[in-house]
Amino acid sequence: MTARNPARNTAERWGWVSQALHWLIALLILGLGVVGLCIANHVFRQTPKFFWIWTAHKSLGITVLVLMLVRLVWRLYAGAPKPVPNTPAWQHAIAVATHALIYALALAIPLSGWLYDSASGLRPFKFFGQFNMPKLVAPDEGLRHVAHFLHEWGFWALIALVLLHAGAALYHHLFLHDATLKRMTSFTR
Ligand code: HEM
Ligand code: HEM
């Protein structure tokens, strides 16, 4: 039987903790984006029957915020693999900048959602139906607009970066035939 790869990242590859967080967060963000766009475009009628979808979007969004903070701490503790051999310095620099921007946006999007919810002066939402989430600010119409703008356009900026990011990963895999994608997808040694 093939052994599972270690939890910690090594110089050559990502460990399973970074991999699991990468793919779980990616799935959640893309799923939340689809649901968020459905909400904003009135695909679900604003009746109590559908409110659980709002609460699920908000609760899962806060979960992404927490997972991103865990990921950031883990990344600082466990480090990152070296670039695959023969990576030009400029390509590595673009990858580092893209990853940093993705981190920033993946934190800013749920935070702006929470700010939007707070500034809207809606009733507090219950985190997965368990307890009331605190409000970040008092109701404020100006802030509500700013937060909504950041939430919506932050998401589209993230999508643009992720397309570049996934395109680069696929280019490495299909044309350069190196380990860039494999070391993030393979959960065995
Ligand atoms: C990573 C996490 C999240 C992602 C990717 C995400 C994504 C989105 C997107 C793409 C929209 C549609 C924006 C538009 O076109 O107007 C949206 C709407 C919305 N999101 Fe999020 N969201 C996240 C987290 C949150 C959180 C944590 C909250 C609140 C606590 C929240 C509250 C809302 C609300 C209330 C709307 C509806 C906006 C409207 O009334 O038009 N979101 N979300
Ligand atoms: C919402 C979707 C995604 C987000 C937010 C995201 C975010 C990230 C971040 C922040 C890193 C840097 C890891 C770190 O320093 O901790 C990373 C690495 C990576 N991602 Fe993504 N990613 C997404 C989707 C994808 C997709 C669709 C692919 C592949 C088609 C992919 C392939 C990779 C690979 C291969 C690495 C490792 C790069 C290396 O070893 O240098 N990602 N991702």
Side-chain angles (χ1 to χ4, degrees):
M1 208 173 83
T2 15
R4 195 174 62 196
N5 71 350
R8 279 274 308 252
N9 304 329
T10 66
E12 271 67 50
R13 57 162 306 157
W14 298 97
W16 67 261
V17 174
S18 290
Q19 291 176 299
L21 285 167
H22 177 272
W23 294 112
L24 179 63
I25 292 172
L27 276 178
L28 283 171
I29 288 182
L30 297 176
L32 282 166
V34 172
V35 173
L37 290 170
C38 289
I39 294 177
N41 292 294
H42 311 288
V43 172
F44 316 113
R45 270 172 293 123
Q46 283 208 17
T47 58
K49 194 179 149 199
F50 293 103
F51 284 168
W52 69 270
I53 299 176
W54 268 248
T55 312
H57 179 88
K58 294 174 188 178
S59 302
L60 282 170
I62 296 294
T63 307
V64 169
L65 180 62
V66 173
L67 287 174
M68 277 307 295
L69 292 173
V70 170
R71 181 174 181 182
L72 192 60
V73 171
W74 180 258
R75 174 71 168 74
L76 295 173
Y77 162 73
K82 285 186 302 201
V84 292
N86 306 324
T87 305
W90 66 269
Q91 272 184 23
H92 181 57
I94 293 181
V96 170
T98 310
H99 294 163
L101 274 173
I102 292 180
Y103 263 93
L105 285 170
L107 288 164
I109 295 167
L111 265 177
S112 61
W114 191 3
L115 191 62
Y116 172 68
D117 175 78
S118 306
S120 301
L122 299 167
R123 266 187 301 145
F125 72 95
K126 277 201 158 68
F127 184 75
F128 292 112
Q130 297 304 306
F131 56 87
N132 281 346
M133 281 298 289
K135 298 285 179 186
L136 294 174
V137 290
D140 180 323
E141 198 47 23
L143 205 54
R144 184 174 90 91
H145 282 294
V146 173
H148 186 213
F149 178 85
L150 290 176
H151 199 59
E152 184 177 357
W153 290 103
F155 176 75
W156 289 118
L158 179 66
I159 291 297
L161 283 173
V162 165
L163 286 176
L164 180 76
H165 170 75
L170 290 175
Y171 177 74
H172 273 272
H173 188 69
L174 298 174
F175 296 101
L176 303 180
H177 306 290
D178 65 29
T180 306
L181 183 61
K182 209 68 201 280
R183 70 186 190 174
M184 186 47 111
T185 51
S186 161
F187 277 82
T188 50
R189 274 179 212 271

mmCIF file of all heavy atoms in Angstrom, residues 29 32-33 36-37 39-40 57-58 61-62 64 109-110 113-114 116-117 125 148 151-152 155, ligand 1:
data_model
loop_
_atom_site.group_PDB
_atom_site.id
_atom_site.type_symbol
_atom_site.label_atom_id
_atom_site.label_comp_id
_atom_site.label_asym_id
_atom_site.label_seq_id
_atom_site.Cartn_x
_atom_site.Cartn_y
_atom_site.Cartn_z
ATOM 1 N N ILE A 29 -14.952 28.366 -1.665
ATOM 2 C CA ILE A 29 -15.019 29.705 -2.267
ATOM 3 C C ILE A 29 -15.826 29.668 -3.565
ATOM 4 O O ILE A 29 -16.697 30.510 -3.799
ATOM 5 C CB ILE A 29 -13.602 30.264 -2.518
ATOM 6 C CG1 ILE A 29 -12.949 30.635 -1.178
ATOM 7 C CG2 ILE A 29 -13.646 31.482 -3.441
ATOM 8 C CD1 ILE A 29 -11.571 31.252 -1.288
ATOM 9 N N LEU A 32 -19.497 29.086 -2.715
ATOM 10 C CA LEU A 32 -20.097 30.289 -2.106
ATOM 11 C C LEU A 32 -20.310 31.376 -3.149
ATOM 12 O O LEU A 32 -21.281 32.131 -3.078
ATOM 13 C CB LEU A 32 -19.181 30.819 -0.997
ATOM 14 C CG LEU A 32 -19.253 30.049 0.318
ATOM 15 C CD1 LEU A 32 -18.095 30.421 1.229
ATOM 16 C CD2 LEU A 32 -20.574 30.335 1.009
ATOM 17 N N GLY A 33 -19.397 31.458 -4.110
ATOM 18 C CA GLY A 33 -19.536 32.454 -5.178
ATOM 19 C C GLY A 33 -20.808 32.206 -5.981
ATOM 20 O O GLY A 33 -21.589 33.133 -6.234
ATOM 21 N N GLY A 36 -23.761 32.995 -3.758
ATOM 22 C CA GLY A 36 -23.825 34.444 -3.550
ATOM 23 C C GLY A 36 -24.407 35.150 -4.769
ATOM 24 O O GLY A 36 -25.272 36.028 -4.640
ATOM 25 N N LEU A 37 -23.968 34.737 -5.960
ATOM 26 C CA LEU A 37 -24.483 35.371 -7.187
ATOM 27 C C LEU A 37 -25.969 35.062 -7.365
ATOM 28 O O LEU A 37 -26.742 35.913 -7.809
ATOM 29 C CB LEU A 37 -23.687 34.895 -8.406
ATOM 30 C CG LEU A 37 -22.243 35.434 -8.458
ATOM 31 C CD1 LEU A 37 -21.441 34.731 -9.547
ATOM 32 C CD2 LEU A 37 -22.240 36.945 -8.680
ATOM 33 N N ILE A 39 -28.081 34.583 -4.886
ATOM 34 C CA ILE A 39 -28.791 35.429 -3.911
ATOM 35 C C ILE A 39 -28.920 36.848 -4.470
ATOM 36 O O ILE A 39 -30.007 37.425 -4.513
ATOM 37 C CB ILE A 39 -28.038 35.472 -2.555
ATOM 38 C CG1 ILE A 39 -28.031 34.101 -1.886
ATOM 39 C CG2 ILE A 39 -28.668 36.513 -1.623
ATOM 40 C CD1 ILE A 39 -27.235 34.036 -0.578
ATOM 41 N N ALA A 40 -27.762 37.399 -4.917
ATOM 42 C CA ALA A 40 -27.740 38.798 -5.360
ATOM 43 C C ALA A 40 -28.626 39.011 -6.590
ATOM 44 O O ALA A 40 -29.145 40.102 -6.807
ATOM 45 C CB ALA A 40 -26.316 39.235 -5.641
ATOM 46 N N HIS A 57 -24.859 30.517 3.457
ATOM 47 C CA HIS A 57 -23.814 31.290 2.765
ATOM 48 C C HIS A 57 -22.955 32.025 3.800
ATOM 49 O O HIS A 57 -21.722 31.987 3.736
ATOM 50 C CB HIS A 57 -24.463 32.289 1.797
ATOM 51 C CG HIS A 57 -23.478 33.147 1.058
ATOM 52 N ND1 HIS A 57 -22.910 32.776 -0.143
ATOM 53 C CD2 HIS A 57 -22.939 34.361 1.360
ATOM 54 C CE1 HIS A 57 -22.079 33.725 -0.549
ATOM 55 N NE2 HIS A 57 -22.078 34.703 0.347
ATOM 56 N N LYS A 58 -23.628 32.661 4.748
ATOM 57 C CA LYS A 58 -22.888 33.446 5.750
ATOM 58 C C LYS A 58 -22.070 32.531 6.668
ATOM 59 O O LYS A 58 -20.908 32.819 6.954
ATOM 60 C CB LYS A 58 -23.864 34.295 6.570
ATOM 61 C CG LYS A 58 -24.548 35.381 5.742
ATOM 62 C CD LYS A 58 -25.610 36.112 6.545
ATOM 63 C CE LYS A 58 -26.413 37.063 5.665
ATOM 64 N NZ LYS A 58 -27.482 37.739 6.418
ATOM 65 N N GLY A 61 -19.238 31.056 4.805
ATOM 66 C CA GLY A 61 -18.297 32.147 4.527
ATOM 67 C C GLY A 61 -17.410 32.427 5.737
ATOM 68 O O GLY A 61 -16.199 32.602 5.594
ATOM 69 N N ILE A 62 -18.007 32.434 6.930
ATOM 70 C CA ILE A 62 -17.213 32.635 8.155
ATOM 71 C C ILE A 62 -16.270 31.441 8.348
ATOM 72 O O ILE A 62 -15.138 31.596 8.791
ATOM 73 C CB ILE A 62 -18.146 32.815 9.392
ATOM 74 C CG1 ILE A 62 -18.988 34.098 9.247
ATOM 75 C CG2 ILE A 62 -17.350 32.829 10.687
ATOM 76 C CD1 ILE A 62 -18.205 35.400 9.287
ATOM 77 N N VAL A 64 -14.809 29.824 5.970
ATOM 78 C CA VAL A 64 -13.662 30.089 5.089
ATOM 79 C C VAL A 64 -12.696 31.067 5.760
ATOM 80 O O VAL A 64 -11.475 30.878 5.717
ATOM 81 C CB VAL A 64 -14.121 30.628 3.714
ATOM 82 C CG1 VAL A 64 -12.938 31.162 2.907
ATOM 83 C CG2 VAL A 64 -14.835 29.547 2.922
ATOM 84 N N ILE A 109 -12.723 38.922 1.356
ATOM 85 C CA ILE A 109 -14.091 38.662 0.865
ATOM 86 C C ILE A 109 -15.033 38.266 2.019
ATOM 87 O O ILE A 109 -16.076 38.895 2.204
ATOM 88 C CB ILE A 109 -14.085 37.623 -0.286
ATOM 89 C CG1 ILE A 109 -13.348 38.205 -1.491
ATOM 90 C CG2 ILE A 109 -15.499 37.219 -0.673
ATOM 91 C CD1 ILE A 109 -13.000 37.176 -2.553
ATOM 92 N N PRO A 110 -14.689 37.249 2.826
ATOM 93 C CA PRO A 110 -15.600 36.952 3.938
ATOM 94 C C PRO A 110 -15.703 38.099 4.947
ATOM 95 O O PRO A 110 -16.791 38.349 5.488
ATOM 96 C CB PRO A 110 -15.015 35.692 4.577
ATOM 97 C CG PRO A 110 -13.659 35.516 4.014
ATOM 98 C CD PRO A 110 -13.615 36.243 2.711
ATOM 99 N N GLY A 113 -18.086 40.539 3.622
ATOM 100 C CA GLY A 113 -19.440 39.977 3.717
ATOM 101 C C GLY A 113 -19.999 40.186 5.123
ATOM 102 O O GLY A 113 -21.150 40.600 5.301
ATOM 103 N N TRP A 114 -19.160 39.924 6.100
ATOM 104 C CA TRP A 114 -19.554 40.083 7.502
ATOM 105 C C TRP A 114 -19.836 41.557 7.811
ATOM 106 O O TRP A 114 -20.809 41.898 8.479
ATOM 107 C CB TRP A 114 -18.430 39.522 8.381
ATOM 108 C CG TRP A 114 -18.745 39.354 9.833
ATOM 109 C CD1 TRP A 114 -19.937 39.588 10.469
ATOM 110 C CD2 TRP A 114 -17.842 38.903 10.847
ATOM 111 N NE1 TRP A 114 -19.825 39.317 11.805
ATOM 112 C CE2 TRP A 114 -18.542 38.887 12.073
ATOM 113 C CE3 TRP A 114 -16.503 38.491 10.843
ATOM 114 C CZ2 TRP A 114 -17.953 38.488 13.272
ATOM 115 C CZ3 TRP A 114 -15.908 38.089 12.041
ATOM 116 C CH2 TRP A 114 -16.629 38.096 13.227
ATOM 117 N N TYR A 116 -20.730 43.805 5.577
ATOM 118 C CA TYR A 116 -21.965 44.136 4.838
ATOM 119 C C TYR A 116 -23.184 43.725 5.655
ATOM 120 O O TYR A 116 -24.131 44.501 5.841
ATOM 121 C CB TYR A 116 -21.938 43.425 3.489
ATOM 122 C CG TYR A 116 -23.210 43.516 2.692
ATOM 123 C CD1 TYR A 116 -23.634 44.718 2.168
ATOM 124 C CD2 TYR A 116 -23.987 42.380 2.472
ATOM 125 C CE1 TYR A 116 -24.813 44.802 1.438
ATOM 126 C CE2 TYR A 116 -25.162 42.454 1.742
ATOM 127 C CZ TYR A 116 -25.567 43.665 1.227
ATOM 128 O OH TYR A 116 -26.725 43.753 0.519
ATOM 129 N N ASP A 117 -23.126 42.490 6.167
ATOM 130 C CA ASP A 117 -24.232 41.983 6.985
ATOM 131 C C ASP A 117 -24.423 42.871 8.223
ATOM 132 O O ASP A 117 -25.548 43.227 8.578
ATOM 133 C CB ASP A 117 -23.913 40.533 7.399
ATOM 134 C CG ASP A 117 -24.951 39.964 8.347
ATOM 135 O OD1 ASP A 117 -26.028 39.580 7.860
ATOM 136 O OD2 ASP A 117 -24.700 39.928 9.565
ATOM 137 N N PHE A 125 -27.349 36.814 12.350
ATOM 138 C CA PHE A 125 -27.577 35.456 11.835
ATOM 139 C C PHE A 125 -26.937 34.459 12.796
ATOM 140 O O PHE A 125 -25.948 34.757 13.465
ATOM 141 C CB PHE A 125 -27.050 35.304 10.410
ATOM 142 C CG PHE A 125 -25.554 35.268 10.277
ATOM 143 C CD1 PHE A 125 -24.868 34.063 10.221
ATOM 144 C CD2 PHE A 125 -24.822 36.443 10.190
ATOM 145 C CE1 PHE A 125 -23.486 34.028 10.096
ATOM 146 C CE2 PHE A 125 -23.442 36.423 10.073
ATOM 147 C CZ PHE A 125 -22.772 35.215 10.026
ATOM 148 N N HIS A 148 -20.417 46.071 0.330
ATOM 149 C CA HIS A 148 -20.992 45.290 -0.762
ATOM 150 C C HIS A 148 -20.108 45.350 -2.001
ATOM 151 O O HIS A 148 -19.855 44.343 -2.672
ATOM 152 C CB HIS A 148 -22.412 45.781 -1.085
ATOM 153 C CG HIS A 148 -23.108 44.914 -2.095
ATOM 154 N ND1 HIS A 148 -24.002 45.396 -3.005
ATOM 155 C CD2 HIS A 148 -23.020 43.584 -2.343
ATOM 156 C CE1 HIS A 148 -24.423 44.397 -3.778
ATOM 157 N NE2 HIS A 148 -23.847 43.291 -3.381
ATOM 158 N N HIS A 151 -17.147 43.172 -1.451
ATOM 159 C CA HIS A 151 -17.533 41.763 -1.478
ATOM 160 C C HIS A 151 -17.699 41.277 -2.925
ATOM 161 O O HIS A 151 -17.169 40.242 -3.308
ATOM 162 C CB HIS A 151 -18.850 41.602 -0.711
ATOM 163 C CG HIS A 151 -19.140 40.198 -0.275
ATOM 164 N ND1 HIS A 151 -18.303 39.485 0.551
ATOM 165 C CD2 HIS A 151 -20.182 39.360 -0.542
ATOM 166 C CE1 HIS A 151 -18.806 38.291 0.770
ATOM 167 N NE2 HIS A 151 -19.948 38.170 0.106
ATOM 168 N N GLU A 152 -18.406 42.072 -3.715
ATOM 169 C CA GLU A 152 -18.693 41.675 -5.095
ATOM 170 C C GLU A 152 -17.418 41.732 -5.966
ATOM 171 O O GLU A 152 -17.051 40.758 -6.622
ATOM 172 C CB GLU A 152 -19.763 42.599 -5.669
ATOM 173 C CG GLU A 152 -20.197 42.213 -7.069
ATOM 174 C CD GLU A 152 -21.325 43.101 -7.594
ATOM 175 O OE1 GLU A 152 -21.813 43.985 -6.856
ATOM 176 O OE2 GLU A 152 -21.703 42.896 -8.760
ATOM 177 N N PHE A 155 -14.550 39.423 -5.116
ATOM 178 C CA PHE A 155 -14.781 38.073 -5.638
ATOM 179 C C PHE A 155 -14.346 37.972 -7.106
ATOM 180 O O PHE A 155 -13.651 37.037 -7.502
ATOM 181 C CB PHE A 155 -16.257 37.680 -5.474
ATOM 182 C CG PHE A 155 -16.567 36.341 -6.083
ATOM 183 C CD1 PHE A 155 -16.161 35.173 -5.455
ATOM 184 C CD2 PHE A 155 -17.238 36.248 -7.295
ATOM 185 C CE1 PHE A 155 -16.416 33.928 -6.030
ATOM 186 C CE2 PHE A 155 -17.506 35.007 -7.868
ATOM 187 C CZ PHE A 155 -17.095 33.849 -7.228
HETATM 188 C C1 HEM B 1 -15.194 33.271 1.010
HETATM 189 C C2 HEM B 1 -16.394 33.587 1.395
HETATM 190 C C3 HEM B 1 -17.439 34.251 0.542
HETATM 191 C C4 HEM B 1 -17.568 34.313 -0.821
HETATM 192 C C5 HEM B 1 -16.643 33.729 -1.890
HETATM 193 C C6 HEM B 1 -18.769 35.077 -1.108
HETATM 194 C C7 HEM B 1 -19.217 35.387 -2.376
HETATM 195 C C8 HEM B 1 -20.332 36.160 -2.657
HETATM 196 C C9 HEM B 1 -20.716 36.631 -3.961
HETATM 197 C C10 HEM B 1 -19.959 36.385 -5.267
HETATM 198 C C11 HEM B 1 -21.867 37.328 -3.822
HETATM 199 C C12 HEM B 1 -22.658 38.057 -4.932
HETATM 200 C C13 HEM B 1 -22.256 39.523 -4.899
HETATM 201 C C14 HEM B 1 -23.069 40.392 -5.833
HETATM 202 O O1 HEM B 1 -23.081 40.120 -7.049
HETATM 203 O O2 HEM B 1 -23.684 41.353 -5.346
HETATM 204 C C15 HEM B 1 -22.232 37.305 -2.435
HETATM 205 C C16 HEM B 1 -23.363 37.899 -1.892
HETATM 206 C C17 HEM B 1 -23.607 38.005 -0.543
HETATM 207 N N1 HEM B 1 -22.786 37.570 0.477
HETATM 208 FE FE1 HEM B 1 -21.087 36.520 0.295
HETATM 209 N N2 HEM B 1 -19.348 35.441 0.087
HETATM 210 C C18 HEM B 1 -18.567 34.967 1.107
HETATM 211 C C19 HEM B 1 -18.769 35.164 2.469
HETATM 212 C C20 HEM B 1 -19.818 35.875 3.021
HETATM 213 C C21 HEM B 1 -20.006 36.150 4.429
HETATM 214 C C22 HEM B 1 -19.066 35.673 5.537
HETATM 215 C C23 HEM B 1 -21.157 36.859 4.568
HETATM 216 C C24 HEM B 1 -21.843 37.402 5.792
HETATM 217 C C25 HEM B 1 -21.530 37.092 7.025
HETATM 218 C C26 HEM B 1 -21.703 37.047 3.221
HETATM 219 C C27 HEM B 1 -22.876 37.712 2.943
HETATM 220 C C28 HEM B 1 -23.385 37.918 1.676
HETATM 221 C C29 HEM B 1 -24.663 38.574 1.413
HETATM 222 C C30 HEM B 1 -25.646 39.091 2.462
HETATM 223 C C31 HEM B 1 -24.796 38.618 0.015
HETATM 224 C C32 HEM B 1 -25.978 39.208 -0.799
HETATM 225 C C33 HEM B 1 -25.611 40.547 -1.324
HETATM 226 C C34 HEM B 1 -26.822 41.275 -1.888
HETATM 227 O O3 HEM B 1 -27.746 41.534 -1.117
HETATM 228 O O4 HEM B 1 -26.817 41.576 -3.085
HETATM 229 N N3 HEM B 1 -20.857 36.449 2.316
HETATM 230 N N4 HEM B 1 -21.278 36.592 -1.741
#
